[in-house]
Amino acid sequence: MLGQLGQLARTAFTPVTPRSLCAQIIGFPPAQATSQSYTCRHTFSRRGKEARVKEEIRCRYGISHLWKGRILPGENLTRLEAAHRAEIVQTHSYRVELDLRDSTTFRSRTTIDFSGEAGAATFVDLIAQSVEKIELNGTAISPSSFQDSRIELAEIAAENTLIVEATCLYSHTGEGLHRAVDPADGEVYLYSQFEAPDSRRMFAVFEQPNLKARFTFSVLAPAHWQVFSVSPTPEPQPVADGLARWEFSPTEPISSYLTCIIAGPYAGVQGTYTAPDGREIPLGVYARKSLQKYLDGAEVLEITKQGMPFYEEYFAQPYPFRKYDQIFVPEYNMGAMEHPGCVTILDDYVFQSKPTAALVERRAITILHELAHMWFGDLVTMEWWDDLWLNESFAEYMSHVATARATRWQDAWVTFQASEKSWARRQDQLPSTHPIAADIRDLEDVLVNFDGITYGKGASVFQQLVAYVGEEAFISGVRQYLAKKAWGNATLQDLLTELEAASGRDLQQWARLWLQEAGINTLSPQITETAGRIDEFAICQEKDKHASLRPHRIAVGGYDLENGVYRQVAFTTLDISGARTVVPEFGGISRPDVLLINDGDLAYAKVRLDEESLTHIKEHINAFPPELQLTRALILFNVWDLCRDGLMNAADYADFALRALETEAHGTVLRYTLSQLVTATNLYSPPQQREELQQRVAAKLQDILQGAAPGSDRQLQLARTAIILAHSAADLDYFAGWLQGEKVPNGLEIDAALRWEIWQRLAAAQRITEADIQQELQERDNTAAGASAAAEARAALATPEAKARAWEELLAGKIPNAQQRSLCLGFTAGDAELLVPYVEKYFAEVERQWEERTVEFASNMITYTFPTKLTGRTDLGV
């Protein structure tokens, strides 16, 4: 999502070390400054007048340079600089002219109309190969003023026109204007990705969210392409030599990171939606030409048409833009991006093989997540990246509300528990955890906040907030917030103010505990009973080292097994806080077979089961009827937490999970339970017992597979996991036979995706050669998806030569971003002994990767090539 973390100083600058820089700025002797990072206090001046904002900001080696007495931060931008610039600059409009004829670079001409404080100095952002022209208010400025991703404007007028002509580079890593070639037909596809600071890779811009403007794009491109942007697509005007020009109308007032250009021979379907104000909103769904036969555009349009009226009523605002296109793009680093009226989506969501039910539902939730952003994020936009979490958490929460109430996936909150909350709990227990409302001091800080805390935990806390203030008050507050801040920028405090007014609750302390502190609390039952009746039931709360004891709005349920089926026999909701809270409604009742804290899943916490309940559940996990699917899912993931926290051994957890898998039918719960089974078996089990456990689990899973309904989602997911867990010669022979159509379970289609999973497992087990992989690619699946799958299979080959080749490819960083993650996953598959020579190499490489690669490349490399004693991947995908 973000560009490289630091551009080296050009020859016109004098680089200095952090110690000497710190010494020059605040007078510390160099010995008192650390060699890697430090904190210093900057006071920015404006024409001799001290800026009103002072704060501590971080400076890092390799990023900051001293020039003419001030800091130039390379490609970074601090919050302080952005606040200072917003005090003196107000943007009005941009005209961006792009020439997309060439294959390696493109021409960009930007005209910016803006007002400002006469006589003040400022800068505009740009990352380009070269700058050919800079003109401010009719006066030429030397192109040499473009340095370190900025164009310095020494003195602006009250009203200004800036013209910048530049040559920019296409990206092949997913940022800026990305260029991809479809191996199926050789066609070229472009798309832009600007969040957070990458519109400057396509045009000159005041790159910060609170300087909104109207943007007009003019694009010269091959005439057979389609070109999309935020504004409705105009009729292309023919130009000589097979070219055409698209002249877009001005956008609504939006932030620069929300602009976009998507271009190429995209194909798709169209529709319309009638808004409450009578407008006919054009709808479109598009993908690469080679994917058109797989594009189920009718379903995407149906979900969109279900979401539109739901959000319009919920927010009391009609859809704010003029059209709504959804374009599935190749080699995408993220799931989707909320450009107003022109959403881009990962084209893995165009299903070329049979998808799992979890993946189909995830696509629906993604569609509704981006649609929610049209109001919360696009119509009203954050002031600065501090509130990135607010955009994403709110959209993630609302996407599940809309999915559950407006689509066929009415059990979306089961999915939320299994996926988003599980992701959040996992990341909240890592050393890298951070508060939801993180302190975003500069663009670098944004990099670590597109994660499970921002999305999963933030959405979970919104779920808790709605329970805390009441849904009616929540809706009323959100409507007021959107009405007051429409087409502008806002902060978390703006939203809290409206929610406090609507609910009558003081949310400042709540916000401090939930949003400004990291970590997760653990809730455990404390029960005293006599002769089968509960004397006292209390909820005990423990905090980790990051968190305080928090307030929770929570429910408690009790369940008895009656005629082989669990039935709810007790239930209450209450507010809890502090270390111990008594639940008075449960005092004096007969002891239920199972007691469950956080029944209904309102709270965000780890929850423990008492011993009696756990014992009962181990035997009867399959006794929950369909209407209690959420309760069953909560228990499944509570038991997983016991294993993950070392309170249940891997073999016992595997037995429990296998029992649950005999009946589990919910697609996302099935997916995560299978993934956890693989992790417990292959990673958490004692090494001396691992092989025996792997064989036992594999045999049981194959038995369950044989009993799965032909053609069902259960059958597909069980088959995929059985392939991953295959280790014995007999198991490997069995799955290899599927490639030839031998002994395939009735109803299971061995399509391209499943074939590649078998090839990858056989490669890791040293059962095939590179020639076999190449033959599969050329003769059966010469597509972008096939290329990525083949890259993973080649890297998985269990030979020193294959690992060395994969490692060198990863270090070179020249492969397309879509294949890089696959290469990482393949590299770590198979015999762990082959990775021993790379342990020291890995740790020696981490810092360079982070400093020199894009965030996506560095993250993939660091995350997925981490050397473990793991045999076989645990990442099953969705």
Side-chain angles (χ1 to χ4, degrees), residues 727-773:
H727 288 86
S728 70
D731 287 345
L732 293 167
D733 287 342
Y734 171 59
F735 292 115
W738 286 9
L739 297 172
Q740 311 303 323
E742 300 170 0
K743 299 181 181 180
V744 178
N746 184 32
L748 181 65
E749 180 184 356
I750 310 300
D751 56 22
L754 203 57
R755 287 183 65 86
W756 279 119
E757 292 188 26
I758 297 170
W759 283 115
Q760 288 158 5
R761 185 70 198 99
L762 294 176
Q766 208 170 351
R767 300 287 292 263
I768 61 170
T769 67
E770 185 170 354
D772 297 319
I773 298 168

Side-chain angles (χ1 to χ4, degrees), residues 106-172:
F106 60 93
R107 298 281 293 176
S108 170
R109 175 186 168 93
T110 309
T111 303
I112 311 174
D113 289 325
F114 66 99
S115 57
E117 182 180 305
T122 189
F123 62 92
V124 69
D125 305 292
L126 177 66
I127 296 176
Q129 178 176 269
S130 62
V131 170
E132 285 70 52
K133 176 182 178 180
I134 306 171
E135 182 181 290
L136 178 63
N137 300 327
T139 300
I141 298 175
S142 172
S144 65
S145 65
F146 167 60
Q147 294 284 355
D148 235 30
S149 79
R150 296 182 178 185
I151 296 172
E152 302 294 328
L153 305 177
E155 188 170 335
I156 62 174
E159 296 297 332
N160 304 271
T161 298
L162 174 69
I163 299 173
V164 178
E165 295 181 4
T167 300
C168 300
L169 290 166
Y170 289 113
S171 163
H172 300 285

Side-chain angles (χ1 to χ4, degrees), residues 498-738:
E498 300 304 331
L499 293 176
E500 287 178 331
S503 67
R505 284 201 186 234
D506 182 348
L507 296 177
Q508 302 307 309
Q509 176 71 354
W510 183 94
R512 185 185 70 78
L513 293 174
W514 277 108
L515 304 178
Q516 297 172 7
E517 290 186 0
I520 188 168
N521 301 84
T522 301
L523 307 179
S524 305
Q526 188 179 77
I527 306 166
T528 57
E529 56 184 283
T530 304
R533 301 190 75 83
I534 295 177
D535 297 320
E536 184 182 75
F537 184 98
I539 299 174
C540 297
Q541 181 176 192
E542 298 174 85
K543 62 184 181 71
D544 66 15
K545 64 181 181 180
H546 302 287
S548 301
L549 297 177
R550 292 173 170 140
H552 305 258
R553 182 68 177 170
I554 203 166
V556 181
Y559 296 84
D560 277 345
L561 191 66
E562 299 176 359
N563 300 318
V565 177
Y566 279 119
R567 301 294 181 196
Q568 190 179 79
V569 294
F571 183 83
T572 190
T573 58
L574 72 158
D575 290 328
I576 70 170
S577 61
R580 188 175 187 272
T581 304
V582 173
V583 183
E585 291 81 359
F586 275 55
I589 69 170
S590 297
R591 159 74 202 226
D593 293 329
V594 175
L595 289 163
L596 179 62
I597 298 172
N598 195 30
D599 202 5
D601 196 31
L602 299 177
Y604 172 78
K606 289 200 296 184
V607 172
R608 303 303 192 202
L609 295 163
D610 67 281
E611 285 298 324
E612 187 173 332
S613 296
L614 180 59
T615 299
H616 210 274
I617 285 297
K618 285 180 179 179
E619 295 298 319
H620 303 289
I621 185 59
N622 296 325
F624 285 97
E627 61 268 24
L628 294 178
Q629 175 67 61
L630 178 57
T631 300
R632 171 185 159 104
L634 286 165
I635 290 170
L636 284 173
F637 291 101
N638 291 345
V639 175
W640 169 245
D641 279 338
L642 293 176
C643 179
R644 192 177 183 280
D645 291 348
L647 301 176
M648 175 183 284
N649 68 55
D652 286 347
Y653 174 78
D655 290 339
F656 172 78
L658 288 166
R659 186 173 292 113
L661 290 169
E662 292 173 355
T663 61
E664 185 56 61
H666 186 280
T668 303
V669 176
L670 180 63
R671 182 258 166 176
Y672 277 90
T673 303
L674 286 166
S675 180
Q676 289 158 3
L677 174 64
V678 173
T679 298
T681 303
N682 282 352
L683 190 60
Y684 289 178
S685 58
Q688 63 274 20
Q689 301 170 14
R690 185 164 299 160
E691 184 176 351
E692 185 276 331
L693 180 61
Q694 287 172 335
Q695 293 177 0
R696 180 161 61 84
V697 169
K700 178 61 177 176
L701 201 62
Q702 289 182 40
D703 287 343
I704 297 173
L705 171 62
Q706 296 305 318
S712 66
D713 180 65
R714 267 177 55 77
Q715 184 188 55
L716 175 60
Q717 292 208 50
L718 289 165
R720 294 178 63 191
T721 308
I723 293 166
I724 290 171
L725 284 168
H727 288 86
S728 70
D731 287 345
L732 293 167
D733 287 342
Y734 171 59
F735 292 115
W738 286 9

Side-chain angles (χ1 to χ4, degrees), residues 198-215:
D198 285 324
S199 65
R200 57 189 173 156
R201 296 181 184 274
M202 195 171 85
F203 56 92
V205 59
F206 294 103
E207 184 80 283
Q208 57 192 78
N210 61 345
L211 290 178
K212 284 189 168 184
R214 295 182 184 272
F215 293 81

